[in-house]
Amino acid sequence: MNPSQVTPRGAAPNADGSTVYRTRRDPDASATVSVVRAVAEVEDVTPGDLPVLGDVIDPEALDGVFEGDQRVGRSTARLSFDYCGYTVTVTDDVVALDVR
């Protein structure tokens, strides 16, 4: 991901004081990779500098929610969890980071 893909939503913080960042998910990357890349981009660090995602969510379960073969018959999936000081929300197309 490059910096142009991470954009703040609105010019001001939300009513609750949080700032929202959104990035489009790379269709060729897993949900896990997309989350780690998005957080690393916002934090301006390399993915390896972040805490292990597996300490807060099962990466296989996260990826399983968004794998194409597993989604037959499901409505649009949306999953949220806390990671690195953000509430991360993942959908088929987007990773959003809300500052907690």
Side-chain angles (χ1 to χ4, degrees), residues 61-76:
L62 173 61
D63 291 341
V65 170
F66 298 100
E67 286 179 359
D69 295 345
Q70 302 297 321
R71 298 197 63 251
V72 175
R74 281 197 209 168
S75 62
T76 302

Side-chain angles (χ1 to χ4, degrees), residues 28-80:
D28 297 325
S30 69
T32 298
V33 169
S34 296
V35 166
V36 172
R37 285 179 180 169
V39 173
E41 184 71 36
V42 171
E43 290 291 309
D44 195 27
V45 298
T46 64
D49 291 335
L50 295 173
V52 176
L53 184 61
D55 289 346
V56 297
I57 192 167
D58 180 342
E60 289 179 14
L62 173 61
D63 291 341
V65 170
F66 298 100
E67 286 179 359
D69 295 345
Q70 302 297 321
R71 298 197 63 251
V72 175
R74 281 197 209 168
S75 62
T76 302
R78 178 184 183 104
L79 185 87
S80 295

